Amino acid sequence: MTGPIGKPLRRVDGPLKVTGGAEYAADFNRPNQAYCVLVPATVGKGRIVAIDIVAARALPGVVDVLSYLNAPKLPYGPHKVFIDPGVGERLHVFQDDEIRFYGQPVAAVIADTLDQAEHAAAALKIVYASERPVVDIGEGVAPIVPEEATRPGSRIRSDTARGDADAALPTAEVRVDVRYDIARENHNPMEPHATLAEWQGEHLTLWSKSQWVNSEQDEIAAILGIPPEQVQVICPFIGGAFGTSLRSWPHVTVAALAARLVKRPVKLVLTRKQMFYTTGHRPRSAQRVALGADRDGRLTALIQEGLGETSRYEQFIEALTSAANFMYSCPNVRTQYRLAPLDIGTPTYMRGPGEASGAHAVECAVDELSYALGIDPIELRRRNEPQVDEGNGKPFSSRSLLQCYAEGAEHFGWAVRSPRPRSMRDGRLLVGMGMAAASYPSGQMQSSALARVRPDGLVEVEAAASDMGPGTYTSMTQVAAETLSVPMDEVHFSLGRSELPPTPPQGGSLTMASVGSAVRDACLALRTAAAEVAVADKRSPLFGSHPADLEWRDDRLFHRSDDRRGQSLHDIASSGGQTIEAQATAKRSMEVMSRYSTHAFGAVFVEVSVDPDVGIIRVRRALGAYAAGRIVNPLLAHSQCIGGMIGGIGMALMERTVLDPRDGRPVNAHMADYLVPVYADIGEVGAIFIDEVDPYVNPLGIKGIGEIALIGMAPAIGNAVYHATGIRVRELPIRLEHMLVPSA
Ligand code: MOS
């Protein structure tokens, strides 16, 4: 029997989603609930001088107003997990009069209806003593060394070096030394942040949009100073997140506080505008990449220096310069990563965090080098393909980047590309083809799961987890059904509850490897538990057998010496009339971690057209070729990858949060002016997967694709735009005005 892993199955939760049966955080309602509206600071730095609540309080339906004037002093106990900045302290909401950035929550209004709460929030009078904030890394801020990135064992390094890149660069036969600047981006998922908080005695239930319900439980418990057992977080569905719901931002605390204050359930939903203020963003970055090569294109020097913005109260770090250490073979490599602390809210992870920005600068610089050398950009990369991870000397658990180049180029039709920039046309349109390589670390974090079989034969599998869109309900059902050799429709997988066995966040491309491994282990443990039940059950044909003499063949448990004495999992549960369950915890083997370098790789190919008269850039075709180990569900993986690639179109051509330098206000905090790709912006987008068997990365051979799907897209587009026009834009997003230069 061939199991469901690897089959292009449709989403098991698809019918729920298309019929409106899937409930997202803001869909939940509780009897007698009140509505809470946040009031954001309208200055970028300073102090609150006065909050006049008299007029607001007098409005109909208003229940109460919360601010630092009446909020309880909260313990804000220590709670740092790996997604939190290791240096600094999270924003303490309503604990003092200081304004640290524009949009910081300064008050909350609770009313009987949403309209009443919004009306009253607008009627609050807040007086500030304001100062001019510094909100741009270009404003002469002295960069700092990210402290966490200097600690031994940190996954992100402030400085790395092998050989002497600075000495090798000036003597290189061919050099490229360029700077790339990438705009701040906001995640802008369809679903807004939302939390419904309800207290029952000392117990708090949060229906809350979260990529990590276990961490939200612990975080809110630590903030409020109550045991985590008294907090439950529920999040069965997420309408996209891209990293913005990894941390628990202040609105979750405010909802819990407000519910406690008014002794009613309280619902708090952020507005689209508020999602530009306090829920993280992809940090603005500035980079220098310098490459030296010999005439044959062999790299002799690679320098990457990156600067990212952070807040003044936390040092957010991301892997901006990490991939430079292992992407290409080069004897002399130096990377440097610095931070600019600004009067802004703390940035956070956004799909392909660090890697997407870092790869943009390096992959565009490699493209620039290819023109300086007159070597095809794929060929140039091939000539610099390393045999091992030269950053740490370890072998790759698998690395199929050359196959990504070959199969991707073939599928895309790279061969018809003429090498010279501005040499391809379609009518009056300039046409260009560009490509870029991508990588993302393949991690696995400790995860638990539980599996049980009921007497009626239904298998229930549970893990805390989240599903922000990749199809986790479906892929976990596939793993369970495959491991147990039962049909998909006999397995029911639950997630999104903090009381279920704990998992890592849905982020970092970790879920399939981590939770998938736990689901597999729980199902294997369930088989063991079922065998023990069978040998103890007088009605079982296997009664009295020694468990060591039993073995599972497909869906049935047999005695090794007797092919007739077999029972299915369902038989065993129904015969005993009892539910059998088992829990398991899977974690990454230390041996794998110490012996191998584990990454997914990809190559992205893009064709753009540029209107030479008005500068409009269109992505006509894009193809991603990904090597990411075993693909559990090619249909969902394809969907996930083209979604990431479309995110990359946004990064390359549209997305940019613009701050007013006078007060730090995001001036385009709405979907009319913060542009994201819509259907009309997307041509033909496709993804293919390289057959890759990785025997080391984890028992399932899974590498994860969530992040790599976006990484590489922006540089492939930038490189295609250059090929089309001969205009090298070293800034993202690449905009129409960049194209309006006197033609060559
Ligand atoms: Mo993603 S940035 O790992 O949610």
Side-chain angles (χ1 to χ4, degrees):
M1 168 175 164
T2 72
I5 289 186
K7 298 227 169 90
L9 303 177
R10 293 183 181 279
R11 286 170 198 262
V12 297
D13 52 335
L16 265 185
K17 282 187 167 164
V18 298
T19 57
E23 287 182 291
Y24 297 80
D27 293 332
F28 289 94
N29 291 295
R30 299 296 293 166
N32 194 36
Q33 74 193 13
Y35 293 80
C36 183
V37 166
L38 277 187
V39 180
T42 53
V43 301
K45 184 181 164 125
R47 301 208 165 263
I48 304 170
V49 173
I51 302 180
D52 180 355
I53 66 166
V54 176
R57 278 298 314 242
L59 289 168
V62 174
V63 184
D64 217 327
V65 177
L66 251 177
S67 73
Y68 86 97
L69 295 171
N70 65 337
K73 288 297 157 225
L74 297 174
Y76 272 95
H79 173 249
K80 270 196 205 289
V81 281
F82 80 102
I83 52 161
D84 293 312
V87 176
E89 174 57 21
R90 68 250 217 239
L91 185 75
H92 291 192
V93 68
F94 301 163
Q95 299 296 294
D96 59 37
D97 61 354
E98 189 181 343
I99 305 301
R100 293 161 182 83
F101 59 92
Y102 189 99
Q104 174 186 322
V106 290
V109 177
I110 306 118
D112 291 331
T113 70
L114 178 59
D115 287 348
Q116 289 167 336
E118 282 179 345
H119 184 203
L124 271 190
K125 292 191 181 65
I126 303 179
V127 181
Y128 301 95
S130 71
E131 298 165 48
R132 189 179 167 125
V134 177
V135 297
D136 192 292
I137 55 178
E139 285 186 78
V141 188
I144 59 167
V145 177
E147 219 176 298
E148 193 186 352
T150 62
R151 293 177 187 162
S154 169
R155 73 210 148 83
I156 294 164
R157 314 288 314 152
S158 66
D159 298 86
T160 68
R162 64 173 185 261
D164 190 341
D166 296 282
L169 183 68
T171 58
E173 288 174 353
V174 180
R175 284 184 298 278
V176 160
D177 194 341
V178 285
R179 287 169 194 278
Y180 276 83
D181 192 332
I182 301 176
R184 169 184 177 136
E185 286 180 76
N186 280 86
H187 304 69
N188 275 306
M190 275 199 284
E191 184 197 11
H193 290 268
T195 301
L196 168 62
E198 179 176 42
W199 290 87
Q200 278 165 326
E202 295 301 305
H203 284 83
L204 172 65
T205 303
L206 300 165
W207 289 264
S208 189
K209 180 182 182 183
S210 171
Q211 288 172 248
W212 198 2
V213 289
N214 301 112
S215 179
E216 182 140 305
Q217 170 190 26
D218 292 342
E219 171 75 348
I220 298 303
I223 291 171
L224 300 179
I226 60 177
E229 299 74 48
Q230 291 176 17
V231 180
Q232 196 199 167
V233 180
I234 300 172
C235 179
F237 289 97
I238 294 178
F242 316 117
T244 184
S245 293
L246 285 164
R247 300 187 82 186
S248 299
W249 302 106
H251 66 277
V252 186
T253 302
V254 172
L257 274 189
R260 198 161 68 180
L261 178 74
V262 304
K263 298 185 170 56
R264 287 166 66 176
V266 165
K267 183 187 281 197
L268 197 170
V269 182
L270 293 193
T271 62
R272 178 61 56 181
K273 190 173 181 179
Q274 289 171 353
M275 287 171 65
F276 285 79
Y277 298 156
T278 323
T279 55
H281 60 274
R282 189 192 298 280
R284 163 91 189 279
S285 60
Q287 299 176 70
R288 172 192 172 215
V289 177
L291 303 174
D294 63 23
R295 296 251 172 246
D296 292 332
R298 295 216 166 56
L299 286 171
T300 54
L302 193 171
I303 297 168
Q304 185 183 15
E305 297 169 341
L307 176 68
E309 64 180 5
T310 188
S311 67
R312 295 222 193 257
Y313 54 94
E314 285 179 308
Q315 291 183 11
F316 171 76
I317 60 171
E318 57 178 13
L320 191 63
T321 55
S322 302
N325 287 297
F326 62 84
M327 275 307 275
Y328 298 107
S329 179
C330 180
N332 303 296
V333 176
R334 181 174 64 77
T335 72
Q336 181 194 73
Y337 176 48
R338 297 292 181 266
L339 290 177
L342 303 174
D343 300 307
I344 58 173
T346 306
T348 197
Y349 300 103
M350 182 168 162
R351 203 167 188 177
E355 317 268 352
S357 307
H360 180 71
V362 172
E363 291 299 310
C364 288
V366 169
D367 196 67
E368 296 200 43
L369 181 65
S370 77
Y371 289 96
L373 288 159
I375 298 176
D376 173 87
I378 300 176
E379 177 55 25
L380 175 60
R381 286 172 173 82
R382 277 197 197 108
R383 289 184 192 178
N384 290 287
E385 178 71 1
Q387 295 302 308
V388 297
D389 180 333
E390 294 180 9
N392 57 25
K394 294 177 191 176
F396 293 102
S397 63
S398 58
R399 172 168 167 138
S400 311
L401 186 51
L402 292 177
Q403 290 90 319
C404 294
Y405 294 148
E407 290 185 36
E410 171 73 27
H411 271 76
F412 181 77
W414 184 259
V416 306
R417 176 180 180 270
S418 84
R420 212 161 39 81
R422 220 182 167 88
S423 63
M424 294 179 76
R425 283 185 180 256
D426 179 2
R428 46 180 291 278
L429 296 177
L430 300 168
V431 172
M433 293 184 180
M435 58 81 58
S439 72
Y440 193 76
S442 299
Q444 180 187 348
M445 292 184 71
Q446 179 168 317
S447 177
S448 300
L450 180 147
R452 71 169 77 85
V453 57
R454 306 191 321 198
D456 65 3
L458 183 72
V459 175
E460 295 175 327
V461 182
E462 300 177 336
S466 293
D467 185 353
M468 63 173 157
T472 304
Y473 279 104
T474 310
S475 56
M476 296 304 153
T477 305
Q478 287 176 267
V479 172
E482 171 107 7
T483 309
L484 295 171
S485 288
V486 300
M488 287 285 286
D489 60 7
E490 288 179 21
V491 177
H492 185 261
F493 180 73
S494 302
L495 56 68
R497 300 176 76 92
S498 59
E499 70 204 350
L500 299 181
T503 63
Q506 179 150 69
S509 306
L510 288 163
T511 299
M512 199 63 243
S514 309
V515 186
S517 295
V519 164
R520 177 177 178 272
D521 287 0
C523 290
L524 292 174
L526 177 63
R527 284 192 147 187
T528 303
E532 282 161 10
V533 168
V535 299
D537 177 3
K538 290 200 175 66
R539 285 156 297 189
S540 165
L542 300 168
F543 174 69
S545 305
H546 195 280
D549 295 330
L550 303 180
E551 67 176 358
W552 290 90
R553 274 179 244 148
D554 292 334
D555 61 334
R556 293 176 81 77
L557 182 65
F558 288 99
H559 196 281
R560 281 182 210 279
S561 62
D562 184 354
D563 273 1
R564 289 157 305 160
R565 285 163 67 187
Q567 264 194 310
S568 70
L569 192 64
H570 181 179
D571 295 340
I572 297 169
S574 67
S575 165
Q578 66 178 97
T579 293
I580 307 166
E581 77 175 33
Q583 187 163 335
T585 297
K587 55 181 173 221
R588 183 168 219 189
S589 119
M590 293 303 287
E591 204 202 328
V592 168
M593 272 193 285
S594 61
R595 282 184 50 192
Y596 296 100
S597 179
T598 57
H599 304 268
F601 291 92
V604 189
F605 302 81
V606 167
E607 179 185 303
V608 298
S609 69
V610 180
D611 185 315
D613 298 321
V614 292
I616 292 172
I617 304 165
R618 295 244 176 247
V619 174
R620 306 215 296 190
R621 295 194 299 127
L623 180 85
Y626 301 102
R630 186 191 311 212
I631 299 301
V632 171
N633 184 322
L635 180 66
L636 297 183
H638 182 266
S639 177
Q640 189 175 0
C641 283
I642 64 174
M645 292 168 74
I646 292 165
I649 296 178
M651 182 179 187
L653 300 176
M654 296 172 176
E655 298 187 51
R656 174 171 68 144
T657 306
V658 180
L659 303 185
D660 188 321
R662 294 167 301 178
D663 59 6
R665 179 178 64 99
V667 298
N668 58 336
H670 50 86
M671 300 313 292
D673 284 343
Y674 184 95
L675 305 180
V676 296
V678 297
Y679 198 78
D681 297 309
I682 303 159
E684 199 184 310
V685 180
I688 58 170
F689 300 100
I690 307 303
D691 273 328
E692 182 179 73
V693 177
D694 189 321
Y696 307 113
V697 66
N698 50 57
L700 284 164
I702 285 161
K703 288 187 168 179
I705 52 171
E707 321 293 327
I708 197 168
L710 188 146
I711 299 164
M713 191 64 181
I717 292 171
N719 296 341
V721 167
Y722 176 76
H723 182 243
T725 61
I727 302 169
R728 180 64 72 174
V729 181
R730 299 193 182 90
E731 177 190 343
L732 290 186
I734 298 169
R735 304 185 297 280
L736 192 145
E737 58 266 34
H738 293 128
M739 300 293 101
L740 299 180
V741 296
S743 57

